[in-house]
């Protein structure tokens, strides 16, 4: 958004008619932009809307109407604040794969690179693409982190795992833990590196996709694809049944214990 004011005047609306107002957002830096869309309506014949209690009008509706000299309502205002949040350019990133056998637990480190982070008032162009580094081997979710370099102001981030559906979220929510273990910023390039420790403890075979979403408090958003794969579990035991004779039944007993009710 720009600080310039744009006016749409002379638009005539019939009763119950709709008016579409297009808003174009073309960010050049990874920070949040703010604007306000103001709609001002007046009667076509130029007359005012009568209003008896001018004192209450000036007190409670001062920001949403324009009052004429005679105390009537000359115009009505609708004020819509707009926040523009830029998102890093989408690219064909290879998902970071976290693989584990069912009923086991695995930890993996995932490193992500955030480009175009705005350090305080120093805006950096958002023309470079974000990138994800392949995971390396080495549950509570920390939702806010801070990144500081030697001389710039502190930059805060929020992060979370987003799933394709509520069903997937219910399956993975209790099986995946994410914790930030390292963060640093390159003072020359401005690239911020975040290293997460991902814990995956599946209880059954599955294959689900997720998206690691990182948002800077200054407004930028970065998204990284992830893939969680749980393979078949190990065999619990081998049951041997020894035959006692031809055409005779052999019976063996074993216990099954449920981990849930």
């Amino acid at each position: 958004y720009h600080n310039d004011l744009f006016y749409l005047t002379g638009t005539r609306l019939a009763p119950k008619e709709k008016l579409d107002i297009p808003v174009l957002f073309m960010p050049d830096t990874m920070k949040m932009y703010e604007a306000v869309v103001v709609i001002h309506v007046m009667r076509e014949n130029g007359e005012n809307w009568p209003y008896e209690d001018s004192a209450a009008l000036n007190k409670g509706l001062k920001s949403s109407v324009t009052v004429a000299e005679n105390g009537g309502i000359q115009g009505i205002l609708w004020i819509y604040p707009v926040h523009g949040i830029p998102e890093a350019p989408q690219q064909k990133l290879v998902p970071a794969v976290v693989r584990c056998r069912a009923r086991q637990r695995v930890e993996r480190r995932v490193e992500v690179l955030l480009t175009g982070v705005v350090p305080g008032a120093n805006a950096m162009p958002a023309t470079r693409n974000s990138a994800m580094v392949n995971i390396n081997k080495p549950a509570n979710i920390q939702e806010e982190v801070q990144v500081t370099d030697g001389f710039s102001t502190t930059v805060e981030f929020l992060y979370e795992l987003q799933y394709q559906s509520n069903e997937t979220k219910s399956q993975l929510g209790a099986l995946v833990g994410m914790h930030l273990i390292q963060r640093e910023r390159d003072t020359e390039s401005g690239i911020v590196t975040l290293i997460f420790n991902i814990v995956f403890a599946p209880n059954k075979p599955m294959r689900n996709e997720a998206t690691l979403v990182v948002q800077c408090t200054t407004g930028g958003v970065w998204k990284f694809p992830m893939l969680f794969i749980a393979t078949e579990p190990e065999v619990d035991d081998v049951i041997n049944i020894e035959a006692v004779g031809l055409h005779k039944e052999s019976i063996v007993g074993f216990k099954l214990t449920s981990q849930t009710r």
Side-chain angles (χ1 to χ4, degrees), residues 24-36:
L24 178 63
F25 180 44
M26 298 179 62
D28 56 0
T29 55
M30 292 294 289
K31 67 178 182 179
M32 184 174 68
Y33 296 79
E34 297 182 355
V36 177

Side-chain angles (χ1 to χ4, degrees), residues 30 88-89 91 93 110-117 128-134 147 157 180 182-186 189-196 212-214 221-225:
M30 292 294 289
Q91 53 184 340
L93 291 175
V110 176
E111 179 178 319
V112 299
L113 305 180
L114 311 181
T115 59
V117 179
R128 294 189 300 269
N129 290 336
S130 56
M132 169 177 277
V133 178
N134 291 334
V147 178
F157 294 89
L180 183 81
Q182 185 176 346
R183 60 269 192 185
E184 60 184 11
R185 179 189 183 94
D186 188 289
S189 64
I191 296 178
V192 174
T193 302
L194 302 181
I195 301 178
F196 296 93
L212 172 58
V213 180
V214 180
V221 175
W222 295 260
K223 295 182 178 181
F224 306 96

Side-chain angles (χ1 to χ4, degrees), residues 3 6-7 55 86 104-106 158 163 169 204 220 222 246:
N3 294 327
F6 298 91
Y7 295 95
Q104 292 186 4
R105 181 181 182 273
V106 70
L158 304 174
Y163 305 98
K169 183 178 180 180
K204 62 181 180 180
W222 295 260
L246 191 62

Side-chain angles (χ1 to χ4, degrees), residues 142-206:
Q142 180 182 349
E143 295 184 348
E144 183 173 336
V145 299
Q146 296 182 348
V147 178
T148 309
D149 58 33
F151 51 87
S152 70
T153 57
T154 300
V155 180
E156 297 181 353
F157 294 89
L158 304 174
Y159 61 87
E160 66 173 345
L161 278 175
Q162 293 183 354
Y163 305 98
Q164 292 181 328
S165 64
N166 291 332
E167 181 180 358
T168 304
K169 183 178 180 180
S170 63
Q171 291 180 357
L172 282 180
L175 308 178
V176 178
M178 182 173 59
H179 181 69
L180 183 81
I181 59 176
Q182 185 176 346
R183 60 269 192 185
E184 60 184 11
R185 179 189 183 94
D186 188 289
T187 56
E188 295 184 0
S189 64
I191 296 178
V192 174
T193 302
L194 302 181
I195 301 178
F196 296 93
N197 187 59
I198 306 293
V199 179
F200 185 35
N203 54 6
K204 62 181 180 180
M206 65 178 64

